[in-house]
């Protein structure tokens, strides 16, 4: 008998963390952290001037000019989103699926989160017509939608929404008076940067978009949580930043000195950081494509991954076999695959997807093996798939998918 409280099931109640890079800490970054380890003073709430200046330089190189007083920093993106939502008030709309950490921050405030369907070709940004209909329905039911959170390089689907989809969603949100938070954590991890067009919502509606970037995704290891946010430059944007800073101060959400030093160094994008990021993107792109190929060959569905450190797989076509193995929903599928694969395989319900849909996110960092030396080996070979740890894990994943396909075919009823 299926349990009624799906939210209480599983090893992680509120969802998995960001996909890890699976690579050893950059030596130059470790040196910066060590040099800051003896600082005794507390970092200022919202980030010290040097860190915020580094963030301004980072955005300026991407065509988004900013000044120090537009920026806030915090120990991770979660407290920044929490502070933003507290400052804005009202209910929040997000795509379905979306990053696992978004909704819990909103619900901590006692606010409602409404999931909006995304177009078939990508995740990250909601369908504009579905967004307008959801806003209308929420208001008719007495709600007060104030914020839309979207992503231009999506976790969990690993897709980059086309410019027209982002533009229509931002235009619809602005027309309804919503503020937009653009989570751009994975924008620097494009698998084919010369072939993929990524547009920034802040260029479309400068007075209504706050840009959020978690550096623990592409630039920093999870042990050094740091994130930055760029607010609109006008009067309402300045007032929003001030209220968000009040919330961060009340939370005590200040960066530790070593993490602040690492963040400022990474945002400066020295050669060591840029070269490591490019190499990591090459490895993860190659692994993600191979994982997707293995899933599709077994009869599953998966959009081609375009960014990030993960692949989102829909095993719905193998439902018969999975049901026979005891997996009839996303939580049971998560348990089954984690047991067979020996790695995290969070179900789609962790990301706001329907629990009855058989979807999982597989992180490519888990394919790089254990220990710094083994993980670094994937960076040193021309083809990452030839690295022994990657080859071993990919073989296991392929075998599991092939077993599901073969059993599903045996159990198909005769035509």
């Amino acid at each position: 008998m299926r349990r009624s409280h799906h939210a209480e099931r599983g090893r992680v109640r509120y969802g998995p963390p960001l996909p890890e890079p699976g690579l050893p800490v950059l030596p130059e970054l470790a040196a910066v952290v060590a040099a800051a380890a003896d600082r005794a003073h507390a970092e200022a709430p919202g980030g010290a001037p040097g860190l915020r200046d580094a963030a301004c330089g980072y955005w300026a190189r991407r065509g988004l000019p900013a000044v120090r007083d537009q920026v806030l920093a915090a120990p991770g993106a979660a407290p920044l989103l929490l502070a933003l939502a507290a400052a804005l008030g009202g209910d929040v709309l997000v795509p379905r699926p979306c990053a696992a950490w978004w909704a819990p921050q909103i619900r901590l405030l006692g606010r409602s989160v409404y999931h909006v369907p995304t177009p078939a070709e990508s995740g990250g940004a909601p369908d504009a017509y579905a967004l307008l209909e959801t806003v209308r329905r929420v208001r008719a039911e007495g709600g007060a939608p104030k914020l839309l959170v979207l992503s231009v390089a999506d976790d969990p689907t690993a897709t980059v929404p086309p410019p027209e989809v982002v533009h229509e969603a931002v235009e619809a949100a602005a027309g309804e008076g919503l503020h937009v938070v653009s989570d751009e954590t994975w924008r620097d991890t494009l698998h084919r940067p010369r072939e993929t067009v990524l547009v920034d919502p802040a260029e479309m509606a400068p007075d209504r978009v706050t840009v959020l970037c978690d550096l623990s995704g592409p630039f920093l290891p999870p042990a050094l949580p740091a994130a930055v946010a760029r607010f609109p430059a006008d009067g309402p944007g300045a007032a929003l930043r001030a209220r968000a800073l009040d919330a961060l101060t009340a939370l005590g959400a200040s960066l530790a000195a070593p993490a602040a030093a690492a963040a400022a160094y990474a945002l400066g994008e020295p050669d060591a950081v840029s070269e490591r990021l490019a190499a990591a993107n090459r490895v993860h792109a190659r692994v993600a494509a191979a994982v997707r190929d293995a899933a599709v060959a077994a009869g599953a569905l998966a959009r081609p991954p375009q960014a990030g450190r993960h692949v989102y797989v829909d095993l719905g076509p193998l439902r018969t076999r999975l049901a026979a193995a005891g997996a009839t929903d996303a939580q049971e599928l998560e348990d089954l695959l984690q047991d067979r694969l020996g790695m995290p395989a969070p179900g789609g319900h962790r990301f706001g997807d329907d629990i009855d849909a058989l979807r999982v996110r597989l992180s490519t960092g888990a394919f790089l093996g254990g220990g710094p030396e083994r993980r670094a080996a994937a960076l040193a070979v021309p083809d990452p798939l030839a690295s022994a740890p990657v080859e071993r894990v990919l073989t296991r994943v392929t075998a599991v998918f092939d077993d599901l396909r073969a059993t599903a075919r045996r159990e198909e009823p005769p035509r």
Side-chain angles (χ1 to χ4, degrees), residues 72 79-94 105-106 109-112 139 143-150 173 176-182 207-212 229-232 234-248:
L72 287 180
L80 273 175
L81 181 59
L82 181 67
L84 264 162
L88 281 166
D91 302 320
V92 179
L93 295 95
V94 298
Q105 307 308 311
I106 310 306
L109 298 170
R111 310 276 168 72
S112 296
R139 286 175 175 156
K146 294 289 185 66
L147 173 62
L148 168 67
V149 187
L150 53 75
E176 293 297 327
L178 305 181
H179 192 77
V180 177
V181 167
S182 176
D207 59 335
R208 287 198 173 272
V209 177
T210 295
V211 177
L212 180 64
R230 175 193 180 275
F231 288 76
D234 63 357
L240 176 62
R241 180 189 178 277
R243 293 196 300 272
L245 178 57
D246 286 343
L248 288 175

Side-chain angles (χ1 to χ4, degrees), residues 246-268:
D246 286 343
L248 288 175
T249 304
L251 290 168
S254 296
L255 283 158
Y265 175 76
L267 285 168

Side-chain angles (χ1 to χ4, degrees), residues 317-338:
L318 304 179
R319 182 175 293 274
T320 301
R321 163 59 186 136
L322 290 167
T328 62
D329 64 21
Q331 180 60 62
E332 292 167 347
L333 177 62
E334 174 183 310
D335 294 338
L336 174 70
L337 289 183
Q338 287 185 164

